[in-house]
Amino acid sequence: MDAIVADLGQQVVDKLQQMRFAIEEGGVLRAPDGDKDGIRQLHGPARQMELAARQDWLRRNLPRYLPFFANGHEVIPERIRPTLVEVTTVSQHDLFRTASLY
């Protein structure tokens, strides 16, 4: 049993190090830097799992919602005026889901 616990503990440590966590003196765990790449890497595995779980949904719904997204050459950053919009309909929910998965 001790070998199993030690092996599991090592797997956890290895995974945390892959995610750029640092284990400092005394076993203190330090989160990775909060830069954009660090955050992406930290959330990468969860995002991949969600994407894999939602592939069928995305495949069925992407054609319906893709026209709502601009192509890169159509975006003028200076003209973007973000606003908060409460999601109250199924269509809004599905559009947001598409954006988060695509």
Side-chain angles (χ1 to χ4, degrees), residues 29-48:
L29 189 64
R30 185 176 49 81
D33 294 332
D35 66 343
K36 197 173 193 177
D37 288 334
I39 299 299
R40 277 193 183 127
Q41 186 171 1
L42 184 62
H43 289 279
R47 186 180 187 297
Q48 290 301 317

Side-chain angles (χ1 to χ4, degrees), residues 13 16-17 20-33:
V13 168
L16 287 169
Q17 288 175 333
R20 295 176 49 191
F21 279 84
I23 300 173
E24 297 180 342
E25 191 173 323
V28 175
L29 189 64
R30 185 176 49 81
D33 294 332

